[in-house]
Amino acid sequence: LISPGKGIFVKTIASTPGTVTFTPAMRKISSDGTLVSKSANNNEKALVKINLTTATKTFATEIYFVQNQTRGLDVGYDAGAFAGSTDGIYTNLVEANTGEKLLIQALPYEDFNNVVVPVAINSGAGVELTISLDTESLSLPSNTYVHLRDNMLNTTTLLNDTDYVFTS
């Protein structure tokens, strides 16, 4: 069920051209007007939203820690980036990584203190970039720390305390 104001995206196999058709016969009517899922299994949830900022744009990727999710692909929870996206920040799956660029990734709730999530950035050369935590949406317990490891420079930054600024 999709509430008013919500939408969906449909991803198809690139080599399979065609159309997706939704007909009136597929509609289901519900008296539940909620805009938030009421799944009983998702009472515990934490969010880390990581922003990538340039002089003119801001991009973001979200990592949710939710009960009953996995380190692999969680259909209905993990969301890939648009195929035509060029610049931006995204994550890859922690397990069974096929290189899919994710804008939203769901992981097991109990992992928020002990998981390494691959983060990647696409940007033109010579651009000053800032990586930061979105503190307004951050919902991790206060004693949880988010470290960013730059594999090219072999540095680690505690994003809870400071932004990471570099030039691509």
Side-chain angles (χ1 to χ4, degrees), residues 32-88:
D32 181 11
T34 183
L35 295 177
V36 179
S37 173
K38 290 184 174 180
S39 175
N41 295 326
N42 292 336
N43 293 333
E44 292 182 323
K45 180 171 38 175
L47 167 64
V48 176
K49 182 177 178 181
I50 303 171
N51 292 331
L52 173 68
T53 307
T54 70
T56 59
K57 295 182 183 177
T58 298
F59 306 93
T61 187
E62 297 176 351
I63 304 165
Y64 286 89
F65 296 92
V66 184
Q67 285 187 358
N68 300 318
Q69 299 310 298
T70 70
R71 291 180 173 193
L73 182 64
D74 296 302
V75 176
Y77 287 85
D78 297 330
F82 292 111
S85 299
T86 54
D87 292 348

Side-chain angles (χ1 to χ4, degrees), residues 11 16 28 32 44 69 75 81 83 89 92 104 137 148 155:
K11 181 176 181 179
T16 308
K28 292 185 180 182
D32 181 11
E44 292 182 323
Q69 299 310 298
V75 176
I89 185 169
N92 293 127
I104 300 172
S137 65
L148 178 70
T155 62

Side-chain angles (χ1 to χ4, degrees), residues 48-54 57-61 63 88-91 118-123 127-135 146-151 153 155 157-168:
V48 176
K49 182 177 178 181
I50 303 171
N51 292 331
L52 173 68
T53 307
T54 70
K57 295 182 183 177
T58 298
F59 306 93
T61 187
I63 304 165
I89 185 169
Y90 56 89
T91 64
V119 176
I121 295 168
N122 283 345
S123 175
V127 178
E128 184 175 274
L129 302 169
T130 302
I131 300 175
S132 62
L133 291 180
D134 186 318
T135 56
V146 179
H147 297 269
L148 178 70
R149 172 108 176 120
D150 184 327
N151 289 332
L153 299 178
T155 62
T157 302
L158 179 59
L159 291 178
N160 301 67
D161 292 342
T162 188
D163 298 343
Y164 183 63
V165 181
F166 67 104
T167 301
S168 60

